Amino acid sequence: MSGEQDDAFAGRVCRITPTEVLSVAPPGGPVAGEPPMEVLRAQASVVAPARTAYRGVFHTQREVFVGNFAVLREVGSMSAFGMKLPPASDTNEAAHDLPNLQGAKLALESMESGVMFFPISFSSLVKPSVRAELKPYLEALPQAHRGRLAAAVYGTPRAPSFSALSQMKRFLYPFFSRIDLRVADPAFQIDDLAPELAASVTLTLPTGAEFVRLAAISRFMRAAATYRRKRMWQGVTDVSRRREVNACIELGVQFITGPGVTDLLENPAPVSPCSALQLPLHDWSVRPDPDMVSSVA
């Protein structure tokens, strides 16, 4: 069910439902007979290129997916039914920002609705030379969809200066309708943040034991009254376990994303209602078309 294996065997994987039998490994292949195991083993060695994938953003109170967060999948990362290959990574790195801008831009053009969150490093935004490198990619974003474009500024420090945030907003505002500050410290200094500088603040959960992650959610939500007063949303990302999903819902986190919310999707999650009991959402997608992703790489 998790799509993980140790590659001790190679064979055919089928999804069986009351109405059909569908081959998912190899994708679109026969459900019985050919090809033999040796051919399947050779097909499994194909390495997927790096490309942009997506985590659905879930609104806990309305129980609906409202958008997607762009993530760069590492070279070789596969979908749920991939063979033994490096796992997909949600790590935010400045080197990923430009490929994500390109890849998510293409996906946005085919999306009928929903917000696309583009990750951009805070440290990049405070460096004039890097801002100059970013600007042509931001100018290429479809301004007809500006109302659906959001900048997810990761690596935001616990107490960012007013001047740095003002500079950041002046640079991003012509291209994005909202700014989401992504922080690692649940005690982010919301009291010092001017309301007009961001639409939301999202906590990235720490690595480690579950009780540490649950404690971070609880600490972050202690300031819920202050966030409401400043008219800012609170979100939590990297939600991985069912208890973390439940804690976010019980404590009133408005938006959540992460492996416990959706699989790392090859295509953006559509804007659609979904019961929290049905999370995480999977697309059970297969390896991407190399011709399609080569235009993004």
Side-chain angles (χ1 to χ4, degrees), residues 116-134:
M116 182 68 76
F117 289 82
F118 294 83
I120 302 176
S121 168
F122 180 88
S123 62
S124 297
L125 293 172
V126 298
K127 299 174 182 175
S129 60
V130 182
R131 288 201 304 270
E133 186 179 359
L134 275 170

Side-chain angles (χ1 to χ4, degrees), residues 52-72:
T52 298
Y54 308 91
R55 293 279 191 203
V57 178
F58 186 71
H59 192 296
T60 61
Q61 297 166 351
R62 293 164 51 198
E63 292 194 315
V64 62
F65 282 98
V66 296
N68 290 268
F69 179 75
V71 179
L72 189 72

